[in-house]
Amino acid sequence: MQDTEYTNKREFNDTSLSINNSEFQGDLSQLIQNFDKISIKEIDPIAISSIQENPSTEIEIVDEINNFIFKLLNEGSKYLVKQQVIEYFNDHNINSQEFYNWLLNNQNSLNSIFLLGFFNYHGIETNKNDEKAFNLFINSSEKNHILAQYFVGEFYLYGYGTIKNGKLAIEYYKKVVDKNFTPGQVSIGYCYSNGIGVEKDLIKSIYWNKKAAKNGNLMAMYNLGIIYEDGTDMKKDNNKAFKLFKQSAEGGYLNGIMMLGYCYDLGIGTKIDKYKAFELYQNAANLGQDLAQNNLALMYEEGDGIAKDIDKAIYWFEKSAKQGNELAKNNLSNLQEKINNL
């Protein structure tokens, strides 16, 4: 990891196992098409085959969307959940504004209460309102709604619509891990890795991430890959790291895609393949992953495995910097200084 040529590409820190709630925007179908081009196992986008093409009633829609969200989160596809729910409405010719208005007047089931909270949390057809969302999640969580219990844990963890309370976050996560809901397992692992609501315990953090990964959670696979690649909390194993990043990437997890590109870039657990690294960085960059944008810009700046293109390097540095990536800000500044000194 300390190869001097690449130290500005990536930095490890305590957020490696973080649960990032920001939504990356992008076209998932483009991601799948790009993966086909580089002969990596085709990503099967989280299917909605179980969802009826034309639900006959709003109640059916409520239940199907809840099942859809449950599936997305349980598989670890957290970054695209909002976008895919919106696409669900579009694909099924459902007017989301009319559906939201229906929800307001039909709070008769746990699923409809939860969904109204989900709409308020994500600002779908209404202004984002974390406090209202939190109250709705609390309401349905008290009647053992699994998704609501998980979101209450998240809101306590991050202080969305309420005061931060790590112990209460853990309490709600424990309600869902007993039901094998993998996001709760990942979140508890995060709490143990950072000592939030519990005493810091890296062994327990690894235990919960392994449990979630075994249950198919893509984010947990990525987290374990980071641990194996870094070698700080357990024995370094690049082969295991590569395998985990590949599994995570093939499932469509953005950070996993970026890290798989990084493995091909530096030959971590596999042979160096700059073309695959470029394609993977590009896929993740197009979907908004800031570190992939920075790394893609570096490849363009250096002509590293691809044709040198300073304009594209500047473009991707700027995209990453606008998201607050400090590496990209520094790299952009250094590149502009070089240009000015020519």
Side-chain angles (χ1 to χ4, degrees), residues 154-188:
E154 293 285 275
F155 275 44
Y156 275 128
L157 180 64
Y158 294 102
Y160 298 153
T162 188
I163 298 173
K164 282 186 179 183
N165 190 320
K167 290 185 177 180
L168 282 176
I170 289 287
E171 181 180 317
Y172 277 89
Y173 291 144
K174 284 183 177 179
K175 293 176 186 291
V176 301
V177 297
D178 290 339
K179 300 164 187 171
N180 246 8
F181 187 57
T182 63
Q185 295 167 347
V186 174
S187 292
I188 280 189

Side-chain angles (χ1 to χ4, degrees), residues 1-253:
M1 277 305 301
Q2 297 306 315
D3 189 320
T4 55
E5 183 181 354
Y6 288 94
T7 52
N8 60 340
K9 281 198 174 180
R10 189 173 186 279
E11 57 184 11
F12 286 103
N13 52 45
D14 289 339
T15 62
S16 294
L17 297 178
S18 67
I19 312 301
N20 185 348
N21 281 281
S22 62
E23 295 281 354
F24 287 101
Q25 303 298 320
D27 185 351
L28 190 60
S29 63
Q30 179 182 0
L31 168 66
I32 299 164
Q33 292 168 5
N34 287 339
F35 260 69
D36 286 343
K37 293 178 183 178
I38 56 176
S39 301
I40 290 178
K41 180 181 177 183
E42 182 179 359
I43 296 175
D44 180 14
I46 298 174
I48 57 174
S49 58
S50 64
I51 298 175
Q52 300 172 13
E53 283 296 320
N54 296 295
S56 59
T57 68
E58 287 85 353
I59 294 174
E60 287 177 337
I61 297 173
V62 166
D63 292 342
E64 295 294 353
I65 293 177
N66 268 268
N67 291 338
F68 185 41
I69 294 171
F70 186 98
K71 179 177 171 62
L72 291 173
L73 290 175
N74 211 35
E75 293 184 354
S77 183
K78 191 167 190 174
Y79 292 122
L80 292 169
V81 172
K82 174 185 176 181
Q83 183 65 25
Q84 291 191 63
V85 168
I86 292 172
E87 288 176 3
Y88 168 82
F89 283 107
N90 294 334
D91 292 343
H92 292 79
N93 296 317
I94 299 169
N95 185 307
S96 56
Q97 182 64 66
E98 290 180 1
F99 181 72
Y100 174 75
N101 292 339
W102 181 90
L103 278 178
L104 287 173
N105 298 307
N106 292 271
Q107 291 289 285
N108 304 317
S109 72
L110 294 182
N111 283 347
S112 63
I113 295 170
F114 165 76
L115 267 189
L116 185 60
F118 185 86
F119 271 58
N120 276 273
Y121 169 48
H122 286 292
I124 300 174
E125 301 301 352
T126 186
N127 293 327
K128 181 176 173 61
N129 188 329
D130 287 343
E131 186 174 351
K132 185 175 181 180
F134 176 72
N135 290 332
L136 288 161
F137 291 149
I138 282 286
N139 188 338
S140 47
S141 71
E142 289 175 349
K143 300 177 180 65
N144 295 319
H145 191 283
I146 295 177
L147 284 173
Q149 289 172 334
Y150 168 71
F151 273 93
V152 170
E154 293 285 275
F155 275 44
Y156 275 128
L157 180 64
Y158 294 102
Y160 298 153
T162 188
I163 298 173
K164 282 186 179 183
N165 190 320
K167 290 185 177 180
L168 282 176
I170 289 287
E171 181 180 317
Y172 277 89
Y173 291 144
K174 284 183 177 179
K175 293 176 186 291
V176 301
V177 297
D178 290 339
K179 300 164 187 171
N180 246 8
F181 187 57
T182 63
Q185 295 167 347
V186 174
S187 292
I188 280 189
Y190 171 73
C191 289
Y192 274 115
S193 71
N194 292 277
I196 300 174
V198 290
E199 186 175 344
K200 187 172 182 178
D201 190 326
L202 296 177
I203 293 176
K204 287 184 178 179
S205 174
I206 292 169
Y207 166 82
W208 282 110
N209 275 284
K210 280 187 173 182
K211 191 174 181 68
K214 186 177 180 180
N215 289 328
N217 188 283
L218 303 171
M219 186 185 296
M221 295 173 193
Y222 165 81
N223 289 348
L224 288 172
I226 291 291
I227 292 170
Y228 280 117
E229 199 278 341
D230 187 30
T232 299
D233 301 328
M234 64 194 305
K235 185 176 180 180
K236 187 179 180 74
D237 191 325
N238 285 338
N239 292 330
K240 285 184 179 180
F242 174 78
K243 181 179 179 181
L244 287 159
F245 289 139
K246 191 170 187 290
Q247 288 176 327
S248 180
E250 287 174 349
Y253 187 63

Side-chain angles (χ1 to χ4, degrees), residues 207-326:
Y207 166 82
W208 282 110
N209 275 284
K210 280 187 173 182
K211 191 174 181 68
K214 186 177 180 180
N215 289 328
N217 188 283
L218 303 171
M219 186 185 296
M221 295 173 193
Y222 165 81
N223 289 348
L224 288 172
I226 291 291
I227 292 170
Y228 280 117
E229 199 278 341
D230 187 30
T232 299
D233 301 328
M234 64 194 305
K235 185 176 180 180
K236 187 179 180 74
D237 191 325
N238 285 338
N239 292 330
K240 285 184 179 180
F242 174 78
K243 181 179 179 181
L244 287 159
F245 289 139
K246 191 170 187 290
Q247 288 176 327
S248 180
E250 287 174 349
Y253 187 63
L254 286 182
N255 289 346
I257 297 168
M258 186 280 297
M259 279 305 297
L260 184 60
Y262 187 76
C263 288
Y264 280 116
D265 197 351
L266 272 67
I268 298 172
T270 188
K271 292 181 180 179
I272 290 176
D273 189 326
K274 295 293 183 178
Y275 180 71
K276 283 188 177 180
F278 168 76
E279 288 284 341
L280 288 158
Y281 285 154
Q282 187 172 59
N283 290 335
N286 286 336
L287 289 164
Q289 216 285 346
D290 61 316
L291 194 52
Q293 292 169 342
N294 173 76
N295 292 358
L296 181 62
L298 284 168
M299 293 190 81
Y300 276 121
E301 179 187 358
E302 300 163 2
D304 184 18
I306 58 172
K308 190 171 183 176
D309 191 323
I310 299 301
D311 288 338
K312 287 183 178 179
I314 292 173
Y315 171 82
W316 285 112
F317 279 141
E318 287 179 342
K319 293 278 283 187
S320 182
K322 285 179 181 178
Q323 294 196 68
N325 188 291
E326 294 299 325

